[in-house]
Amino acid sequence: MPFDAREATIDTVHHALYSGLWTCRDVVSSFLANIEAHNNRTNALITLNPRALTIADDMDQQLMAGNATGSLFCVPILLKDNYDTADMPTTGANLALAHSQPTRDAPSVVAFKNAGAIILGKANLHELALEGLSVSSLGGQTIKPYDSTRTPGGSSGGSGAAVASSFCVIATGTDTVNSLRSPASANSLCSIRPTRGLITRTGIIPISYTHDVIGPIARTVKDVATALTVMATTGYDAADNATALVPSPLRHINYAASLSRFPLSGLRIGVLNGFFNRTDAPEVTPVNNVVDSVMSRLSTAGVTLIPINEIVYNTTAIQAAYDVQRFEYRELIDQYLQRPSLSGEHPNTLTELYSHKAVNNSEGKFLVIPSQYEYVNTALVSSTGNATYNDRLAGIRNLTVTLLDTFSSNSLDAIIYPEQKNLVVKIGSPSQSGRNGILAALTGTPVVTVPAGFSEPSDEAPIGVPIGMEILGRPWEEQKVLGIGYAVEQLLKARRSPVFARERVAVPQYEEVPTITPDRGNISPAYPLGTL
């Protein structure tokens, strides 16, 4: 029998290899077969790595020689296509960047390769990671594996859909406001948004120095912890001075080794009541029911839940008052596009990128959803020199102090809330409304997302729509929030795979890696190309 890629983990891949039951080529072939069989259901991928099988063959030689090393040896992963790769274009899912070719891997990509991971290819995303609908001019609309009428969350929606569908073991994401946690929640997955500075952001298409972090998405907390351990080996990077903030004792930690150190009994966990929508509505009530049930089970397991009712914890107000993306975006993207290490055909500035508009029946080379026209147009004329920028940074510092005071005054181990107040939205919606990611994005604090449950099944969603919960901790407490996430994961066992991904797929003898072509014809008319 071929290796079974369905719901495979790092441990099951390694058991298959080290027991001699399957080769690395067998493992990679099985994931490629899943992609060939089901990517048309999700439109999750932009490209596959043509060297993936060659790399697998090289690893089989290492395995035969007894030289198989690395915590991710022969583990197939997918990269969100805003991670620089020297052997594949890095496009941000934007047509104008379709041929943009970095000449260096991002440090996080180097870390994955050093750990033995096999990069299968690049995943679709919401264009340039600017929103959460996961639709783009280059990649088309990514479709939720659990309900083909809904988006998969985002902006790392291709990564989330791919992991949920067993196209890989781990995928990477970026998170400016919600973008690691939203697709994890929407696809019954786990993720971590680490403390800002733990992993360098060099080689990632940027949006905001203040908001941006990068991290992994996987089907289990243990796999997330292992991937985070690898990504954090990038260490101090002079090109990203946030990495200087990591306390020395917290470097070189094996996050997977300490997962069982935080049993639930005796924990004090805050509940942000302002991050719930208590309206009785079809898109909202399922979220409240699921998270309320989780809280009941946590109480039964010995957790003391502390209600947090301060009015400062209002996501809409926080985003309106303190979000600084508009001031940082243009300067950062211009720096990225003008690096000497970036080759291939590409615009040199953000203004040039957005100059490729729809004219004379030409569809244009970018996609901005109408609800973000104001955001992008403002970013094109804003900078960190704007007077209000420093005012907002001061507000972020005050918000961070308030959050840390909430932890200390209530003796909290963590804070929980639903990742999204409502179910992930339908394709064609104006935006990915109701998400709660802004607090961690501004304060730079670590957050683990775990599956909490599902809405009731329906004709469109045969097993229901996944619902996720965030577990937020103090800065640099990745070990603790991962441990709590692991304990919650073991308590709930809420992860379920999409119906189609339960089918066993025939695995051919591949001579070469198949070609994937994104479906650009599935973009909703609600999102016109080349319009701003």
Side-chain angles (χ1 to χ4, degrees):
M1 294 290 290
F3 173 77
D4 190 352
R6 295 173 298 177
E7 298 292 289
T9 65
I10 296 169
D11 286 345
T12 60
V13 167
H14 284 171
H15 173 74
L17 296 172
Y18 300 142
S19 65
L21 294 173
W22 289 278
T23 64
C24 187
R25 174 177 269 264
D26 293 333
V27 170
V28 170
S29 295
S30 186
F31 282 97
L32 292 176
N34 274 3
I35 291 168
E36 276 206 291
H38 297 310
N39 188 56
N40 64 314
R41 299 175 182 266
T42 65
N43 202 37
L45 304 186
I46 285 180
T47 189
L48 290 176
N49 181 359
R51 296 193 64 250
L53 288 170
T54 301
I55 296 168
D57 291 339
D58 291 342
M59 290 191 174
D60 280 328
Q61 293 298 315
Q62 296 175 41
L63 197 61
M64 291 175 62
N67 293 328
T69 59
S71 60
L72 296 178
F73 182 83
C74 188
V75 172
I77 72 170
L78 286 162
L79 301 175
K80 185 177 182 178
D81 199 12
N82 57 356
Y83 280 62
D84 278 356
T85 47
D87 51 0
M88 289 177 280
T90 297
T91 70
N94 168 256
L95 270 174
L97 293 174
H99 304 292
S100 182
Q101 181 59 66
T103 57
R104 300 175 189 162
D105 289 332
S108 50
V109 175
V110 173
F112 276 121
K113 290 181 176 180
N114 288 342
I118 294 184
I119 297 170
L120 286 186
K122 310 291 279 288
N124 197 14
L125 58 145
H126 191 100
E127 184 156 322
L128 297 172
L130 292 186
E131 231 275 0
L133 300 173
S134 294
V135 60
S136 66
S137 59
L138 179 62
Q141 174 69 62
T142 299
I143 299 163
K144 184 181 180 69
Y146 296 85
D147 180 345
S148 61
T149 69
R150 294 184 186 265
T151 70
S155 63
S156 312
S159 296
V163 176
S165 305
S166 293
F167 295 168
C168 58
V169 176
I170 297 161
T172 65
T174 59
D175 193 310
T176 301
V177 180
N178 297 278
S179 298
L180 276 158
R181 296 161 285 160
S182 172
S185 172
N187 292 286
S188 195
L189 300 171
C190 306
S191 71
I192 185 167
R193 176 193 164 98
T195 306
R196 185 187 306 115
L198 184 67
I199 308 168
T200 177
R201 299 164 293 186
T202 296
I204 310 297
I205 298 178
I207 298 174
S208 166
Y209 177 85
T210 302
H211 292 242
D212 289 351
V213 300
I214 68 174
I217 301 173
R219 289 181 287 274
T220 69
V221 172
K222 184 178 181 182
D223 282 358
V224 165
T226 302
L228 179 68
T229 301
V230 169
M231 297 179 81
T233 62
T234 52
Y236 170 71
D237 178 6
D240 181 358
N241 61 16
T243 58
L245 301 174
V246 182
S248 295
L250 299 184
R251 297 191 186 275
H252 311 297
I253 288 178
N254 182 342
Y255 293 103
S258 56
L259 291 176
S260 59
R261 283 176 40 194
F262 299 95
L264 293 173
S265 181
L267 292 179
R268 290 174 59 85
I269 295 181
V271 179
L272 286 187
N273 287 325
F275 280 27
F276 289 75
N277 178 353
R278 289 300 182 179
T279 305
D280 186 10
E283 294 291 300
V284 172
T285 302
V287 174
N288 293 332
N289 290 343
V290 164
V291 180
D292 287 346
S293 175
V294 170
M295 290 192 293
S296 177
R297 295 186 66 180
L298 290 174
S299 294
T300 301
V303 173
T304 300
L305 296 175
I306 313 297
I308 307 298
N309 297 313
E310 284 88 341
I311 60 172
V312 67
Y313 296 118
N314 177 299
T315 53
T316 303
I318 290 171
Q319 187 136 9
Y322 305 130
D323 189 301
V324 294
Q325 297 174 73
R326 288 169 173 81
F327 306 103
E328 298 175 339
Y329 180 35
R330 178 177 56 84
E331 293 176 351
L332 287 175
I333 199 77
D334 286 357
Q335 291 170 16
Y336 174 88
L337 293 172
Q338 292 166 20
R339 295 169 306 155
S341 61
L342 188 63
S343 67
E345 179 187 352
H346 63 271
N348 287 312
T349 65
L350 188 65
T351 299
E352 183 184 346
L353 186 153
Y354 284 123
S355 70
H356 298 280
K357 295 185 177 181
V359 290
N360 300 327
N361 297 319
S362 165
E363 64 181 4
K365 290 188 176 181
F366 64 83
L367 188 157
V368 177
I369 60 173
S371 65
Q372 284 204 308
Y373 290 167
E374 181 274 333
Y375 167 91
V376 173
N377 281 312
T378 301
L380 287 171
V381 296
S382 296
S383 74
T384 55
N386 286 43
T388 53
Y389 177 63
N390 284 328
D391 293 339
R392 290 194 170 214
L393 291 180
I396 292 170
R397 290 191 291 271
N398 290 337
L399 178 66
T400 304
V401 170
T402 299
L403 178 61
L404 296 179
D405 180 68
T406 297
F407 268 93
S408 59
S409 62
N410 292 283
S411 301
L412 299 179
D413 294 290
I415 290 174
I416 60 172
Y417 47 88
E419 198 290 323
Q420 191 163 359
K421 298 181 182 76
N422 44 267
L423 299 178
V424 68
V425 301
K426 297 276 190 174
I427 291 170
S429 295
S431 66
Q432 192 63 255
S433 60
R435 297 186 294 174
N436 287 321
I438 188 64
L439 179 63
L442 293 176
T443 58
T445 44
V447 182
V448 167
T449 306
V450 294
F454 286 76
S455 67
E456 291 297 318
S458 66
D459 291 342
E460 294 84 10
I463 64 170
V465 176
I467 295 161
M469 185 177 76
E470 294 196 13
I471 304 168
L472 181 145
R474 290 183 177 92
W476 314 114
E477 289 193 346
E478 276 77 8
Q479 283 181 291
K480 190 171 192 176
V481 289
L482 282 165
I484 295 171
Y486 179 76
V488 172
E489 176 191 42
Q490 300 308 304
L491 174 71
L492 301 178
K493 298 190 183 301
R495 160 75 189 160
R496 283 185 274 170
S497 62
V499 171
F500 69 78
R502 300 173 187 181
E503 304 169 9
R504 185 148 194 169
V505 172
V507 181
Q509 295 291 323
Y510 285 106
E511 296 297 325
E512 59 184 15
V513 174
T515 301
I516 291 294
T517 303
D519 181 4
R520 295 182 51 240
N522 71 347
I523 299 172
S524 168
Y527 314 134
L529 266 66
T531 305
L532 185 57

